[in-house]
Amino acid sequence: MRRGAGAARQGCSEVGRSALPPFCEGMRVSKPRKPGKLLPVTRYVDIYLFRCGETCYYIEMNVRFFKKFGVNITSFSIALSCVLLCLSTLFFVSCASRMSDEDAAAVARLESMKATSPEGADILLFANTIVKKHVGVKELVSIKKFCESAIDASERLDQAASNQKKSGGEVAGENAHAASEITETGENTTAGESATDGEIAQTGENSAAGESATTGEDTGKVQGTRLISLYFELSKLAAMLHDGHTGVGIPQGMLQFMEFYPYSTDLVGGKFIVSAVGSDYENCVGKEIVELNGKTPDKVFSALKEIISYDTEAFAVDQANKRMNMRDALEFAGLGSDDGNVRMKFSDGAEIIFAPLSYEAVNSISYNTLVMSLERTLTARSFYECYDILEDTLFVQYNTCTNADGYSVADFSNDVIGFIDDIGFSRVIVDLRFNGGGNSMLLDSFINQLGKRISAGKCKGFVLIGTDTFSSAVLNAWDLKKAGCVLVGTPTGGAINHYGELGYLTLPNSGINAMYSTKHFVLDPSAAPGSIQPDVFVDFTIEDYKNGHDVQVAACLEM
């Protein structure tokens, strides 16, 4: 076999017959040569394996070998080349996937770590699971850095738990000391004061009950604070992979301990705006935000991305806006303020200060909103539905890649194709803007049938996509494009080539649900990383939002 460049080019000595097993009689390794140079075929047959740079890998075999065993030279050459090529591929893949010594040492340290708090233990379990089970962890993040970050996070949570325990111990000690003083005072009470003992006892019981309730509330708040810290530490760790399918969910029990600001934000036409605000505040809906707690929008989004799992810029911005009113998210990302308030400055020079509210309170107040009413195509009312919006146009809204109870995607697909054929719709609009994924294969039959009708010239197909088009919906959008549909809207939230096929883990101490990717989907090997781009870019303006006008559907109707 020919070897690589460098020292191997100095040549190889011929292998004598005595060094070869009996069935290999006639094989030899000859001096290396430049690619393309052939040996005389009178004595030896050159079997080409593969080429690496300027070096070709061959095996030369004596014709006597083939004559002795009656082997067809061409068939043997092809078979041997295939076998050796497979073996060499496996060798190179194993070399590429092998960890460096530094990474291996970091993983070993992570595995050996023992946490002193329940939160620290959950962090270590999550990190170990990602390292062992995430299909692309070695390609997405530095293993050494990831392990070190996990260990640091675990130690921070351990320290916080230790500090809270000490603080609780000091309070308990003070209460015990106070109780001792009360007991001593009671022993010195004279007989003449005994008439009021009953009142004192009654007061003491009420006081004890009140202290007990307060202690219970304080304990709950402490546990809530620790749960919130764990959630954001996990989020930051997951964000290191830049994989939108790997992350953690907010546990329901955590919301009662969180605080929120009475506003929501959005990115419209490239402007960072207020899309809703509590009615107790000045109506700033539609105003452009130029600063949040003294930070520019670019710095705000950049900081929040550190705690968001994403693989496209569109999805990162969308998720950042969803966290923009969370006090805990802003503080963990380094965007909080000393007094806990948010100071929002607008392009017209005005400024509003927002105070945080509890989860229950922020959901019970009234709001001024940018959108007052919506056209039907901008609302997601069910898993999937279809209806005509013009005499010749069928609108198909597919909001989740999941079967609805009693009405499967297959049944829905058959009905839609039937409508197209029976009524003769010349334009079909498939809406994937609200579809966050599921099982992409459920829509395969519909895509194939629609593609046949587009190819036959019976109708035109359009697909609406946007930042909420994610995971399996991205696969469906890509397949619809290949079937002849035109993509209309804005870039997808999910990446064209992405990780997915989720594995799940429930962290035992906190109950937080975590997920990680077990498969890599490659739709287009030549595509640049990131979103699927629309064929026709159409975005909403502030006026479109205010009027509830579906400008993307309108664009399809004009084509």
Side-chain angles (χ1 to χ4, degrees), residues 32 38 54 96 186 192 207 211 316 318 322 335-336 347 357 367 372 390 431 452 473 483-484 510 515 547:
L38 298 177
E54 287 300 313
S207 175
E211 287 177 1
D318 179 67
K322 286 179 170 63
L335 300 169
S347 57
L357 300 173
Y367 287 85
M372 301 304 295
L390 283 179
D431 188 0
K452 290 178 182 178
S510 61
M515 63 231 46
N547 298 325

Side-chain angles (χ1 to χ4, degrees), residues 2-11 32 34 52-57:
R2 296 294 183 191
R3 302 184 182 274
R9 284 187 175 273
Q10 296 175 3
K34 289 288 184 180
C52 182
E54 287 300 313
T55 304
C56 286
Y57 291 79

Side-chain angles (χ1 to χ4, degrees), residues 34-147:
K34 289 288 184 180
K37 184 179 178 182
L38 298 177
L39 288 181
V41 295
T42 52
R43 294 187 58 207
Y44 291 92
V45 176
D46 232 18
I47 300 177
Y48 174 78
L49 298 180
F50 57 90
R51 176 173 176 169
C52 182
E54 287 300 313
T55 304
C56 286
Y57 291 79
Y58 298 85
I59 278 186
E60 296 168 2
M61 303 190 70
N62 196 298
V63 176
R64 288 178 298 171
F65 170 82
F66 298 101
K67 289 181 178 180
K68 180 175 180 179
F69 294 100
V71 178
N72 180 277
I73 295 176
T74 303
S75 299
F76 182 85
S77 300
I78 294 172
L80 183 59
S81 296
C82 289
V83 170
L84 292 176
L85 183 57
C86 289
L87 291 175
S88 62
T89 301
L90 289 173
F91 172 75
F92 288 123
V93 168
S94 66
C95 288
S97 62
R98 191 177 299 139
M99 286 187 186
S100 67
D101 291 342
E102 281 190 347
D103 286 349
V107 171
R109 187 184 171 215
L110 177 66
E111 291 175 342
S112 67
M113 285 294 295
K114 302 294 181 184
T116 59
S117 70
E119 296 79 19
D122 276 359
I123 278 279
L124 295 177
L125 175 60
F126 175 74
N128 274 298
T129 301
I130 295 298
V131 169
K132 294 175 183 176
K133 295 188 176 181
H134 191 291
V135 67
V137 65
K138 299 179 184 68
E139 288 74 36
L140 294 174
V141 68
S142 161
I143 296 295
K144 180 174 181 288
K145 185 177 180 181
F146 181 81
C147 292

Side-chain angles (χ1 to χ4, degrees), residues 467-541:
T467 55
D468 288 329
T469 308
F470 190 76
S471 191
S472 290
V474 173
L475 302 180
N476 288 155
W478 186 254
D479 287 340
L480 283 162
K481 177 182 173 71
K482 292 193 295 184
C485 293
V486 177
L487 303 184
V488 179
T490 57
T492 57
I496 184 169
N497 299 320
H498 62 268
Y499 291 87
E501 200 81 16
L502 298 181
Y504 296 94
L505 169 70
T506 298
L507 300 175
N509 298 306
S510 61
I512 290 178
N513 293 318
M515 63 231 46
Y516 54 89
S517 296
T518 64
K519 187 175 179 180
H520 191 203
F521 295 90
V522 180
L523 304 186
D524 183 358
S526 63
S531 305
I532 291 180
Q533 299 298 321
D535 300 310
V536 180
F537 180 87
V538 181
D539 200 1
F540 292 88
T541 65

Side-chain angles (χ1 to χ4, degrees), residues 409-427:
V409 174
D411 292 337
F412 173 68
S413 299
N414 290 334
D415 289 344
V416 172
I417 294 300
F419 293 149
I420 295 172
D421 292 342
D422 295 344
I423 301 176
F425 289 109
S426 61
R427 183 189 290 110

